[in-house]
């Protein structure tokens, strides 16, 4: 069975972009692949976190993985810091990454260009840690949103570099970026990605948003004055974004079908239909989330996941350290 791995940072509440761009693919693929889904709690401290908030977000993140349909019997679900090999291979990967490569990473460049001050060293080097996350497990595929594709491409380069230098060590992974929904945009500014770190709450639908609030966010989404439901990201970015959401939550229906359904109808009708789909999805997730919080499934899942992940990661780390010549005692 081919292996798939991905992670999400618990830097805030998970949102619809995370669900459509990443999480739903973890769930869809857990039947056909050996799935590793982890919570990237090292990555999240690359920007300052409030400890109390982070603890809550971590718990919510695991609960939401489960509530969205990840099954701990099928998928290995774990916390990054429960597997120490991530940090260790992360440093080794960092030592094999050129500054020129890190300088080209658009996520860091964007933050720098925005004039954000006090950017940390961890934020700069985190693509190397991400590479380690993936390479430790010899993952074949990495399902991610569009913004992470560049990091998976760096991972491929690093894998090839290691293999070339030390002999075959790592599988070269492939990013899986879906055609629709890989970049859900902010509802209040469709030129920007829907994001946890957005200052404007109106543009982002959180999976745990009150249903009334979520509905209101969809109904007040920025559109245009062309009065036609048409997939045209250039000229109608707001409507096209809503179409991506609608399609993703409705069995990936084609844009032509959606255009036909709303031919001659107003934006109000379309937005109501999108809001219905969003609220139905959220309601189902939230119902399961509340049941999960009351159970001890979170602890059990993480314990079991860490056990499985450690066995694989430790063996790989040892193989790497031996190949590099960093170990002298055969343990
Ligand atoms: P932030 O937006 O605060 O930078 P993030 O949501 O991008 O954080 P993660 O939570 O770690 O960061 O992302 C988890 C996954 O969700 C990644 O695969 C990412 O590509 C995907 N993702 C994030 N935002 C979107 C979006 N707006 N549309 C589609 N996929 C997204
Ligand atoms: N960097 C990603 C989260 C992440 C990840 C990974 C995704 C960390 N390690 C390994 C896929 C595979 C982000 O910021 N969204």
């Amino acid at each position: 069975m081919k292996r798939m791995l991905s992670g999400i940072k618990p830097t805030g509440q998970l949102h619809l972009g995370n669900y459509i761009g990443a999480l739903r693919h973890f769930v869809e693929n857990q039947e056909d692949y050996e799935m590793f889904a982890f919570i990237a709690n090292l990555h999240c401290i690359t920007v300052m976190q409030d400890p109390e908030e982070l603890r809550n977000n971590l718990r919510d993140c695991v609960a939401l993985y489960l509530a969205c349909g990840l099954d701990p019997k099928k998928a290995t679900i774990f916390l990054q810091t429960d597997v120490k090999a991530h940090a260790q291979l992360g440093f080794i990967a960092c030592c094999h990454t050129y500054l020129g490569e890190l300088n080209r990473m658009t996520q860091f460049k964007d933050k720098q260009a925005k004039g954000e001050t006090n950017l940390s060293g961890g934020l700069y080097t985190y693509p190397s840690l991400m590479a380690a996350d993936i390479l430790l497990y010899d993952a074949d595929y990495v399902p991610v949103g569009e913004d992470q594709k560049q990091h998976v491409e760096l991972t491929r380069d690093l894998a090839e570099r290691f293999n070339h230098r030390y002999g075959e060590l790592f599988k070269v992974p492939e990013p899986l970026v879906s055609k629709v929904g890989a970049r859900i945009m902010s509802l209040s500014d469709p030129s920007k990605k829907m994001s946890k770190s957005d200052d404007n709450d109106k543009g982002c639908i959180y999976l745990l948003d009150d249903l009334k609030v979520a509905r209101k966010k969809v109904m007040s989404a920025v559109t245009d004055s062309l009065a036609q439901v048409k997939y045209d990201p250039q000229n109608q970015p707001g409507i096209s974004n809503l179409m991506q959401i609608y399609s993703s939550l409705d069995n990936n229906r084609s844009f032509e079908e959606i255009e036909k359904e709303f031919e001659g109808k107003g934006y109000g009708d379309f937005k109501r239909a999108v809001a219905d789909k969003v609220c139905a999805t959220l309601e189902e997730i939230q119902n399961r989330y509340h049941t999960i919080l009351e159970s001890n499934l979170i602890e059990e899942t993480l314990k079991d996941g860490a056990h499985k992940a450690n066995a694989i990661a430790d063996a790989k780390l040892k193989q790497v350290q031996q190949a590099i010549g960093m170990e002298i005692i055969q343990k």
Side-chain angles (χ1 to χ4, degrees), residues 5-11 18 22 26 36 38-44 46 80 86 107 126-127 129-135 139 141-145 147-148 151-152 155 193 196:
L5 172 137
S6 198
I8 296 184
K9 287 178 295 182
T11 33
N18 297 140
F26 307 174
F36 289 77
F38 72 100
I39 315 281
N41 62 340
L42 282 173
H43 288 262
C44 77
T46 54
Q80 190 178 26
H86 285 252
Q107 218 176 32
Y126 108 125
L129 177 60
M130 175 159 164
D133 297 337
I134 299 167
L135 298 178
Y141 299 108
V142 186
V144 281
D147 60 322
Q148 295 301 320
H151 296 152
V152 184
T155 306
K193 176 179 99 100
K196 299 186 256 218

Side-chain angles (χ1 to χ4, degrees), residues 205-218:
I205 295 185
Y206 297 99
L207 296 181
L208 295 177
D209 262 348
D210 183 87
L211 297 186
K212 283 201 199 99
V213 173
R215 179 171 292 278
K216 196 157 173 219
K217 287 180 182 172
V218 176

